[in-house]
Amino acid sequence: MKKRVCKGEYGYIAYQKRISVIRTLLFFAISLAIYGIGIYSTGSNQNLLTIVAVLGCLPACKSAVNMIMFFKAEGCSSTTWDQVSPFDDRLTHFYDMYFTSYRENFSVSHMVLKGNVICAYTETPKCDCRAGEKHLEQMLLQDGYKNMTVKIFNNQEKYIDRLSQLSDLHVESNKNEADLIRMLYSISL
């Protein structure tokens, strides 16, 4: 079996799609099996195992919602990965990030962090980059990160140029970088 892919790594969305399908099917199968055992043992669905089976549908439904969210998300394509992966050694990078807000969702294929600058690239043509920038800036401010610059690109050439500029910059790393990374992971799917 393939090793576990952690959040922020290339292939995370595809991995989570597979895992969430398996988990959802397993949870519903367990509830259905408990319901069937209750009917088989008592001859009626009016028993305690029916209640247990219905309550077992709660985590199954939660898992189904999670599965639907992962199927809506788009991960980083292999062509984009080929273009941006050379910068991974020089920049703090994230792949397959999916940010949700009350109004819309933002699929980010690749994201980098350098000092107080966050740059991201989306392959989704209908993604509102400006709204995504505002959402991330607002989330950063709520967590106490001031003076952060967020830019989301939907043009790959411009994004690669910006990655080149950032990798050549000699900026001291953000002293709270580990906390900032944890926060970005916590607000991403």
Side-chain angles (χ1 to χ4, degrees), residues 107-166:
S107 181
V108 173
S109 298
H110 187 255
M111 178 186 287
V112 295
L113 170 65
K114 177 92 177 213
N116 288 341
V117 176
I118 295 175
C119 280
Y121 172 66
T122 180
E123 295 179 80
T124 308
K126 56 187 172 182
C127 180
D128 185 358
C129 295
R130 187 65 198 132
E133 292 167 4
K134 285 187 179 277
H135 173 68
L136 285 176
E137 288 169 354
Q138 181 184 10
M139 298 304 288
L140 290 166
L141 275 173
Q142 284 178 0
D143 256 27
Y145 295 100
K146 298 176 182 167
N147 302 324
M148 295 291 294
T149 304
V150 178
K151 178 68 177 158
I152 299 176
F153 293 86
N154 57 5
N155 182 318
Q156 190 175 32
E157 291 175 13
K158 289 181 182 178
Y159 181 64
I160 302 272
D161 289 342
R162 185 62 178 142
L163 289 181
S164 297
Q165 294 169 359
L166 283 175

Side-chain angles (χ1 to χ4, degrees), residues 29-88:
I30 290 171
S31 289
L32 189 61
I34 291 171
Y35 180 71
I37 290 170
I39 289 177
Y40 178 75
S41 64
T42 63
S44 168
N45 67 351
Q46 297 178 356
N47 57 54
L48 190 59
L49 288 178
T50 300
I51 295 171
V52 172
V54 169
L55 291 176
C57 287
L58 293 174
C61 290
K62 181 180 184 274
S63 182
V65 169
N66 197 21
M67 178 185 70
I68 291 167
M69 288 300 294
F70 277 113
F71 272 98
K72 286 181 65 178
E74 297 175 26
C76 182
S77 68
S78 60
T79 56
T80 299
W81 182 79
D82 290 338
Q83 296 291 320
V84 298
S85 62
F87 298 98
D88 289 351

Side-chain angles (χ1 to χ4, degrees), residues 16-30:
Q16 286 298 324
K17 284 178 184 179
R18 288 189 303 269
I19 294 299
S20 64
V21 166
I22 293 168
R23 184 181 52 234
T24 302
L25 291 175
L26 181 67
F27 286 172
F28 277 116
I30 290 171

